[in-house]
Amino acid sequence: MTAPRRSALLLRALRCNQLHSRYAYRRAQPIIRSCSCSSPARLPHAVNVASPASPGNAQLNATTSDPPTPTTDHRTIAQIHDLFITTPYSPGSPLLLPNGAYVFQKLQSFLRAQYPQFGFKEVITPTIYKKSLWEKSGHWENYAEDMFSVQGRGATGRAENADLGQDEEFGLKPMNCPGHCLLFANDIRSYRDLPVRFADFSALHRNEISGALTGLTRVRRFHQDDAHIFCRPDQILEEIERTLKFVSMVYDTFGLGPYKLLLSTRPEDHYIGTIDEWDKAEQQLTTALNNSGGEWALNRGDGAFYGPKIDIILKDSNGKEHQTATIQLDFQLPQRFNLQYQASPKELDTSPPVEGLDSANRRPVIVHRAIYGSLERFMALLIEHYAGRYPFWLSPRPAIILALNQDEKTLDYVTHLQSVLSGIQTSESPSAAHREQAGRPTPQPLSTIHLPIDVDTLARPLGKKLIEARKKKYNHIIVVGDAEVQEQAVTLEVVNQPNMDATRQVLADIVGKQSSATISDRKGRTSLRMSALESRMYFERLVQEFL
């Protein structure tokens, strides 16, 4: 598409946009974020190192010192692998294709699987709230320029002297924190109930400048692995340490890095709370960072106005630095939403009463936590990091089955293999009884590992099929011909599977030590003959071990 054509489509789409920013202009200076859960951004300035012994590129758990460097950015790679598209009809809102949705959902599922061991419970919250909520949280004052306002039936925002809740504008949420505050305030909380940990994958909307929109890295509609921990002041240290361990585990699993930790402290002028509160909070964050065993750097005066924070700065495959994960303390929202809990006897003896609260109650602290940050941005980093060669458990193209001929038995066997390897059918034999039973579907177990196994049964030379499958970076290629049909076997070739040493070990465990001799052709590829069920077991192990 030519540049003039693209510009014309964008202008036309913008004219048709029914959602609009509260303000028609943009200021040159960045505004102060009123919540921690902000879009990750490239680090804008240098930082001070925590100690003279710490190097300037302080890092924690350098999972890889030599990441792959693709020749193109994530948008071009995404076209090759059919991950997402963009449209002028909704600028900054990527449309995920099935392959992209598979990766996106895998990222969500991975974190969901970890939530129980870290004590998080997932919630679902509305996409829009009335203006009065955003005024209460402070977003309408500090963030409205970046918000979309919405007018609905009976909520035009035009009536004068309207009571609270009457004829109000709505705002699409840019952050989840106000909704989580409403959930916390819904119950009477005791000190024994804390910490309360809410996690949320809801879609967020921010009215970014159109010229800044880029693929998945700068968008208007996105999702966060958002969470808020409501805890007592004496629990802050433990919660920060647990979250740092969570971050370390996740980034090690993806092989991302190197990355470093930055502690951003109290701003010089614009902040709320007392200096004593800030000093105590910063000391707890410092202690947590020291206890993590990794190196970290000090970013003086760059904390949010409501509390200090820890940012994880990830270096991508091109050497650029991006803020991804964030851990932030917040004293403001608990005050604005009048959050409270019944204090412990120790707290009643050691801490003074809180103005405006019953003498038996105290106010919690909120820890804002995001590990991926924006899932869309995290996907972009992974796309470039892996350069199309995804780990099997995350890969949108784990395997493809190529038919060697057009014989009916061959095509039937290809369909059977696809069903078994994808997790739909659990039987070895494509018997008539199973085909008859297929007409009466039964619920699949929630634990079933479903895989998107593709097939190519077109009548064309095998060589062309192989070239195309390797170009699309399938992890495995399976060729089915007369021999495979006769032996009811699978000839599986490993072509783009990372961590081959661990992969060969899984193969050996599945087929047995005596039968695990692999065949390496002149190009160094690994292939093996096994049964369909053995192949399925092999695939399941690759997923379970995050290979």
Side-chain angles (χ1 to χ4, degrees), residues 509-529:
D509 292 343
I510 295 298
V511 301
K513 300 296 184 182
Q514 301 301 320
S515 306
S516 63
T518 58
I519 304 171
S520 297
D521 65 16
R522 288 174 296 179
K523 296 182 180 180
R525 298 190 182 96
T526 299
S527 61
L528 189 70
R529 180 69 68 89

Side-chain angles (χ1 to χ4, degrees), residues 102 106 392-393 395-396 398-399 418 420-424 448-454 535-536 539-540 543:
Y102 181 82
K106 280 292 184 180
F392 182 88
W393 71 273
S395 176
Q418 182 186 32
V420 172
L421 298 181
S422 65
I424 298 173
T448 302
I449 297 173
H450 291 287
L451 299 171
I453 307 298
D454 294 334
S535 299
R536 171 64 187 179
F539 284 171
E540 289 179 346
V543 172

Side-chain angles (χ1 to χ4, degrees), residues 102-176:
Y102 181 82
V103 175
F104 182 92
Q105 291 166 350
K106 280 292 184 180
L107 293 176
Q108 288 183 316
S109 297
F110 174 72
L111 277 193
R112 284 192 175 111
Q114 317 313 317
Y115 280 164
Q117 68 172 313
F118 288 95
F120 288 95
K121 294 184 178 180
E122 192 172 346
V123 297
I124 299 173
T125 50
T127 302
I128 64 174
Y129 294 96
K130 287 185 175 181
K131 173 184 174 182
S132 50
L133 178 76
W134 301 118
E135 289 177 327
K136 185 173 185 177
S137 68
H139 288 88
W140 207 261
E141 175 185 356
N142 292 308
Y143 207 88
E145 187 175 279
D146 283 318
M147 290 176 62
F148 288 104
S149 64
V150 183
Q151 295 179 356
R153 183 179 294 119
T156 64
R158 296 170 184 168
E160 295 183 3
N161 302 319
D163 293 333
L164 179 65
Q166 292 182 341
D167 194 39
E168 282 191 40
E169 293 179 70
F170 284 86
L172 284 176
K173 68 176 178 182
M175 300 154 186
N176 287 308

Side-chain angles (χ1 to χ4, degrees), residues 84-350:
F84 72 93
I85 64 171
T86 57
T87 173
Y89 293 106
S90 186
S93 301
L95 286 73
L96 299 186
L97 295 164
N99 284 353
Y102 181 82
V103 175
F104 182 92
Q105 291 166 350
K106 280 292 184 180
L107 293 176
Q108 288 183 316
S109 297
F110 174 72
L111 277 193
R112 284 192 175 111
Q114 317 313 317
Y115 280 164
Q117 68 172 313
F118 288 95
F120 288 95
K121 294 184 178 180
E122 192 172 346
V123 297
I124 299 173
T125 50
T127 302
I128 64 174
Y129 294 96
K130 287 185 175 181
K131 173 184 174 182
S132 50
L133 178 76
W134 301 118
E135 289 177 327
K136 185 173 185 177
S137 68
H139 288 88
W140 207 261
E141 175 185 356
N142 292 308
Y143 207 88
E145 187 175 279
D146 283 318
M147 290 176 62
F148 288 104
S149 64
V150 183
Q151 295 179 356
R153 183 179 294 119
T156 64
R158 296 170 184 168
E160 295 183 3
N161 302 319
D163 293 333
L164 179 65
Q166 292 182 341
D167 194 39
E168 282 191 40
E169 293 179 70
F170 284 86
L172 284 176
K173 68 176 178 182
M175 300 154 186
N176 287 308
C177 359
H180 291 186
C181 288
L182 295 178
L183 291 175
F184 181 86
N186 184 60
D187 285 332
I188 298 175
R189 309 283 181 176
S190 163
Y191 70 94
R192 296 186 181 91
D193 300 324
L194 272 56
V196 173
R197 308 179 187 95
F198 292 138
D200 200 331
F201 284 111
S202 300
L204 305 177
H205 291 80
R206 296 178 186 171
N207 194 23
E208 301 284 352
I209 301 172
S210 59
L213 302 177
T214 305
L216 295 177
T217 57
R218 182 63 66 180
V219 294
R220 287 177 172 164
R221 180 184 186 272
F222 63 100
H223 303 73
Q224 285 184 328
D225 62 308
D226 206 1
H228 296 90
I229 303 168
F230 300 82
C231 64
R232 306 190 308 265
D234 64 297
Q235 294 173 320
I236 293 176
L237 175 59
E238 181 181 0
E239 290 305 308
I240 297 300
E241 290 181 341
R242 285 169 59 92
T243 303
L244 287 173
K245 291 178 182 178
F246 199 169
V247 170
S248 177
M249 181 194 71
V250 170
Y251 281 62
D252 284 348
T253 301
F254 287 99
L256 289 173
Y259 58 93
K260 58 189 176 185
L261 301 174
L262 298 182
L263 172 58
S264 297
T265 58
R266 175 174 53 84
E268 289 294 328
D269 300 316
H270 190 69
Y271 63 91
I272 67 169
T274 66
I275 293 179
D276 183 60
E277 288 175 331
W278 278 84
D279 289 344
K280 289 180 180 178
E282 289 172 6
Q283 182 56 49
Q284 288 182 302
L285 294 184
T286 300
T287 302
L289 287 169
N290 288 334
N291 291 346
S292 72
E295 296 176 356
W296 56 275
L298 191 62
N299 198 10
R300 295 186 186 277
D302 201 47
F305 70 88
Y306 47 79
K309 61 179 180 174
I310 297 173
D311 289 327
I312 283 74
I313 308 300
L314 174 69
K315 183 176 291 186
D316 67 17
S317 55
N318 292 316
K320 298 176 182 177
E321 291 186 337
H322 302 271
Q323 177 195 326
T324 50
T326 186
I327 307 166
Q328 304 188 4
L329 297 184
D330 188 348
F331 309 110
Q332 180 195 27
L333 284 182
Q335 296 177 31
R336 285 180 172 268
F337 282 86
N338 196 32
L339 303 183
Q340 52 191 291
Y341 64 92
Q342 297 171 349
S344 68
K346 181 179 179 181
E347 286 179 293
L348 294 177
D349 291 338
T350 59

